[in-house]
Amino acid sequence: MTLVFAPLVTPFVVVGLALALAKRAYDRELGSGLRPPDAVSCALLAVLAGTAALGAYAYGVMQGFYILDPDQMCAAAGARGDRVVTRMELPVSVQCVTGDGEGTELVPGWVNPVVYGGLVLCVLAVGTAVSSGVRRRRAQSSGSSTGAISS
């Protein structure tokens, strides 16, 4: 069920998260210079990238999905000849293949780069969020212990 609704819901989630990130950037102190992003911004970016990857994956997997039979799917895509459908999950691929072995790809070319790029960005953002959170906690704990000693 997730794959059916993901292409429909993804644009709304991505736009909402992008607006949240833009608001966080706008609310940032003026003149604060370059500094690493905080954990919340990285977590928002990770969810945004993961959502984009899931939406693109679902869109690609659902390409050419018809209830009746593969011949109708291939005819609707404009493929010629006798058709047999081949599917691959990663990289996402749905092909109509003629009896001669000539294939027509139904998945748009942008789907796989968005899936892989979204997954990589999601992993990097999660790693950055964790390291940012650890740095902040260390700074707070060293600041509170230093403050306790000087009091």
Side-chain angles (χ1 to χ4, degrees):
M1 217 47 180
T2 300
L3 290 179
V4 173
F5 291 113
L8 302 172
V9 174
T10 296
F12 298 108
V13 174
V14 168
V15 167
L17 290 168
L19 289 173
L21 282 169
K23 182 176 178 342
R24 289 184 64 78
Y26 181 78
D27 291 343
R28 195 173 191 181
E29 294 177 25
L30 289 177
S32 63
L34 292 177
R35 62 179 183 193
D38 63 340
V40 174
S41 295
C42 290
L44 286 172
L45 183 61
V47 173
L48 183 133
T51 301
L54 174 66
Y57 178 78
Y59 182 80
V61 168
M62 297 303 288
Q63 282 300 303
F65 182 76
Y66 285 93
I67 295 173
L68 299 176
D69 64 4
D71 290 341
Q72 288 181 346
M73 173 179 59
C74 295
R80 315 180 321 256
D82 302 301
R83 296 159 212 36
V84 176
V85 176
T86 61
R87 292 183 179 270
M88 287 178 41
E89 282 75 29
L90 281 177
V92 181
S93 174
V94 178
Q95 289 189 353
C96 295
V97 182
T98 65
D100 300 337
E102 181 182 331
T104 303
E105 182 64 50
L106 300 180
V107 176
W110 59 266
V111 168
N112 285 311
V114 170
V115 169
Y116 290 123
L119 290 175
V120 167
L121 184 58
C122 182
V123 168
L124 290 174
V126 166
T128 304
V130 169
S131 90
S132 176
V134 167
R135 272 195 318 264
R136 192 182 105 239
R137 287 190 186 262
R138 284 186 184 160
Q140 284 177 347
S141 67
S142 68
S144 66
S145 64
T146 308
I149 294 172
S150 63
S151 298

